Amino acid sequence: MKDILILGIETSCDETAASVVKNGRTVLSNIISSQIALHTLYGGVVPEIASRKHIEKINPVIRQALSEASVTLDDIDAVGVTYGPGLVGALLVGVAEAKAIAYAKKLPLVGVHHIEGHVSANYIEHPDLEPPFLCLIVSGGHTHLVIVKDYGVFEILGRTRDDAAGEAFDKVARAIGLGYPGGPKIDKVSKEGNADAIQFPKGKVADSPYDFSFSGVKSAVLNYLNSMNMQGKPVSQADVAASFQKSVVEVLVEHTMQAAGDFKMKKVAIAGGVASNSALRNAMEEACRKRGFSFYRPSPIFCTDNGAMIGAAAYYEFIKGTRHGWDLNAVPSLRLGERI
Ligand code: KG4
Ligand code: ZN
């Protein structure tokens, strides 16, 4: 069978990314131009700056993705692009670029749901992984526990009621003075802290065993900081980070294991930016090992936003026959499983 090469484009937030992916699983190139340094100045992503930077970077990033894969646009079979959810101005840059390339080269255009991309990152390094499996999706904007019933087909078991896991990491990092981006910084500083130093509440939701709530943990951290401050006591950044991380990781693992047991899922995967968290990876791996489940997780470079995951997801949409027209638009609040 002829190989299918997809050009995957991702611009939903603060990374301008493009990749060439063969048959949905083999990454020929994966170029990511991160804007993190720029947004760090402002303590978070500034949407207008993100859009402008995407416009500046998108062509060079795509050119580099093609050249590192040793291909030209003539070798590409379809263009896959994230069209939601995300920042509207940022998404529009990728969507317009993908449409222009597909139109000029008479190629099929495949719009991809960003979260479907995150889940599909697992296919890249695990050739044996096929649906159905359970997946915990933890990113800066989303926290979902889903059964991946088939490629691109999801049953949502639970989700966050308030903050996403990554958002909680980012807010707590800011509160303890670590700055943006919070997740990786908390991960790093936690290694020097005592995770049992402070008892923060777990992000559980009464009567909803698979849902999450992280705003309470975040408030507990803020209250702890205030009370230490008022008593004139010193705060250990590393202990707060490690204790907060422990409370988030525990609830993520507990709910995932509960769902895996209840739904008899023997394969468990994690996806999204927070899936690169070392404590989460270790705890989930250990919990799966104890129960005899197979555990799957992308390498950290495929956990945070990238074009390869979009190329992988686009491939499975492409072979199912998904095609978008020239009227494809950015959909900032596209729901998982929704097709527009
Ligand atoms: O998936 P992603 O790159 O973008 C979204 O789709 O939102 O996720 C970004 C989120 C940020 O909140 C970031 O702080 C978090 O992932 N993150 C981490 C780690 N690396 C990134 N959180 C915890 N530990 C990490 N090592
Ligand atoms: Zn993402």
Side-chain angles (χ1 to χ4, degrees):
M1 216 173 70
K2 183 193 169 298
D3 286 335
I4 294 183
L5 294 193
I6 308 257
L7 172 65
I9 300 174
E10 156 65 40
T11 65
S12 69
C13 190
D14 59 348
E15 334 275 355
T16 317
S19 169
V20 178
V21 179
K22 185 169 81 176
N23 301 331
R25 304 247 177 184
T26 307
V27 176
L28 303 185
S29 64
N30 186 35
I31 309 301
I32 304 169
S33 170
S34 174
Q35 306 176 3
I36 285 181
L38 193 64
H39 298 287
T40 299
L41 293 172
Y42 306 94
V45 178
V46 183
E48 180 60 26
I49 294 177
S51 316
R52 285 165 191 248
K53 236 7 204 191
H54 285 312
I55 292 175
E56 215 177 288
K57 294 287 180 193
I58 188 85
N59 281 322
V61 163
I62 290 175
R63 261 198 293 271
Q64 200 183 339
L66 293 168
S67 87
E68 282 201 11
S70 302
V71 297
T72 69
L73 283 176
D74 293 330
D75 303 307
I76 297 293
D77 296 285
V79 182
V81 64
T82 307
Y83 72 110
L87 302 169
V88 66
L91 288 165
L92 275 170
V93 178
V95 169
E97 177 82 12
K99 284 201 277 194
I101 293 173
Y103 185 77
K105 300 302 287 183
K106 300 189 171 51
L107 291 172
L109 175 69
V110 182
V112 172
H113 191 290
H114 182 73
I115 297 301
E116 186 176 335
H118 274 303
V119 172
S120 304
N122 277 291
Y123 300 135
I124 295 169
E125 295 159 297
H126 303 294
D128 57 317
L129 177 63
E130 286 184 37
F133 58 94
L134 183 72
C135 189
L136 172 74
I137 306 156
V138 271
S139 75
H142 296 83
T143 305
H144 279 107
L145 190 52
V146 304
I147 294 176
V148 183
K149 298 180 115 175
D150 200 345
Y151 294 100
V153 181
F154 305 96
E155 181 183 338
I156 301 175
L157 303 178
R159 66 181 86 220
T160 181
R161 295 288 182 94
D162 37 60
D163 293 351
E167 199 180 344
F169 269 93
D170 293 337
K171 287 176 176 169
V172 166
R174 192 175 312 152
I176 58 176
L178 285 173
Y180 172 86
K185 291 190 171 170
I186 290 196
D187 193 348
K188 189 154 174 253
V189 79
S190 291
K191 295 192 165 73
E192 276 113 56
N194 172 8
D196 297 313
I198 311 146
Q199 294 303 312
F200 291 126
K202 283 196 196 168
K204 289 184 177 290
V205 177
D207 303 327
S208 294
Y210 315 125
D211 278 346
F212 305 95
S213 164
F214 295 113
S215 68
V217 193
K218 177 195 64 189
S219 304
V221 173
L222 297 178
N223 289 342
Y224 171 82
L225 295 175
N226 278 340
S227 113
M228 295 300 276
N229 196 11
M230 272 168 11
Q231 295 171 60
K233 290 186 184 160
V235 169
S236 159
Q237 203 182 39
D239 284 354
V240 176
S243 303
F244 159 77
Q245 179 173 271
K246 184 182 176 198
S247 106
V248 172
V249 166
E250 273 183 5
V251 77
L252 292 173
V253 173
E254 278 170 22
H255 287 199
T256 307
M257 290 304 113
Q258 169 94 36
D262 292 352
F263 290 87
K264 308 213 170 351
M265 292 277 130
K266 294 268 181 225
K267 293 183 274 183
V268 175
I270 55 175
V274 183
S276 57
N277 181 270
S278 55
L280 176 62
R281 294 166 86 85
N282 292 339
M284 199 67 94
E285 179 152 34
E286 176 63 12
C288 285
R289 196 188 52 74
K290 271 193 195 148
R291 292 165 179 81
F293 301 153
S294 307
F295 176 55
Y296 303 87
R297 78 280 182 283
S299 291
I301 192 68
F302 296 124
C303 285
T304 44
D305 293 348
N306 64 85
M309 67 183 200
I310 302 305
Y315 170 80
Y316 288 101
E317 289 296 330
F318 176 78
I319 59 174
K320 265 195 284 183
T322 302
R323 302 288 184 272
H324 283 91
W326 307 128
D327 58 350
L328 178 68
N329 205 351
V331 185
S333 52
L334 186 66
R335 278 179 286 122
L336 187 60
E338 188 180 15
R339 297 278 190 274
I340 292 181

